[in-house]
Amino acid sequence: NAVKYGDPLKPIEIKLTKHQTYITISVHNFGNPISKEDQTILFEPFKRSESARKGGQTGWGLGLTLAKGVAQAHGGEVSVESAAESGTTFSISLPN
C-alpha cells in the first residue's frame, strides 16, 4: 500500500521498534493523507478510503483486514496515523 498510494518521489520508511513487552513494525510514506473518517473503516472487510476509490487504484479492500486478523491472531493490534504534513504510518504491534 505504501508503494501503491504513496508519493513515488519520496522514500518509504520501514521501522522495527522493540519495547519491553511488545515490538512494533511500522511503514511510513508520504502521499495524500487518509481522513479521520476513512481511518475508522480501513481495517473492515471490503472497505476502502474515499481517495483510493476515486484515485483509480484497484483493490478489494481485504489487505488491511487480513493484516489486522494476522496481528490479532498473534495477540497484537494494528493502527494508522495520517496527516498531510507528516505522512501516513501503518503499525503492527505484537507481543515479545
Side-chain angles (χ1 to χ4, degrees):
N1 282 347
V3 172
K4 186 175 182 179
Y5 297 108
D7 183 336
L9 301 177
K10 295 198 177 175
I12 295 169
E13 297 176 0
I14 300 171
K15 187 189 321 185
L16 176 66
T17 308
K18 185 176 186 220
H19 308 275
Q20 283 188 327
T21 58
Y22 64 96
I23 61 166
T24 301
I25 304 161
S26 58
V27 178
H28 177 270
N29 70 295
F30 288 95
N32 293 329
I34 302 167
S35 72
K36 292 288 184 190
E37 182 180 329
D38 281 342
Q39 289 178 40
T40 64
I41 62 151
L42 281 181
F43 299 101
E44 295 179 24
F46 304 108
K47 302 285 178 138
R48 300 178 69 219
S49 71
E50 183 71 21
S51 62
R53 289 191 305 270
K54 290 183 175 179
Q57 297 285 359
T58 60
W60 286 55
L62 290 174
L64 293 173
T65 302
L66 293 171
K68 179 182 177 180
V70 169
Q72 289 177 334
H74 288 87
E77 59 186 36
V78 296
S79 63
V80 61
E81 295 178 11
S82 186
E85 57 281 344
S86 59
T88 298
T89 303
F90 282 90
S91 299
I92 298 175
S93 295
L94 300 167
N96 276 343

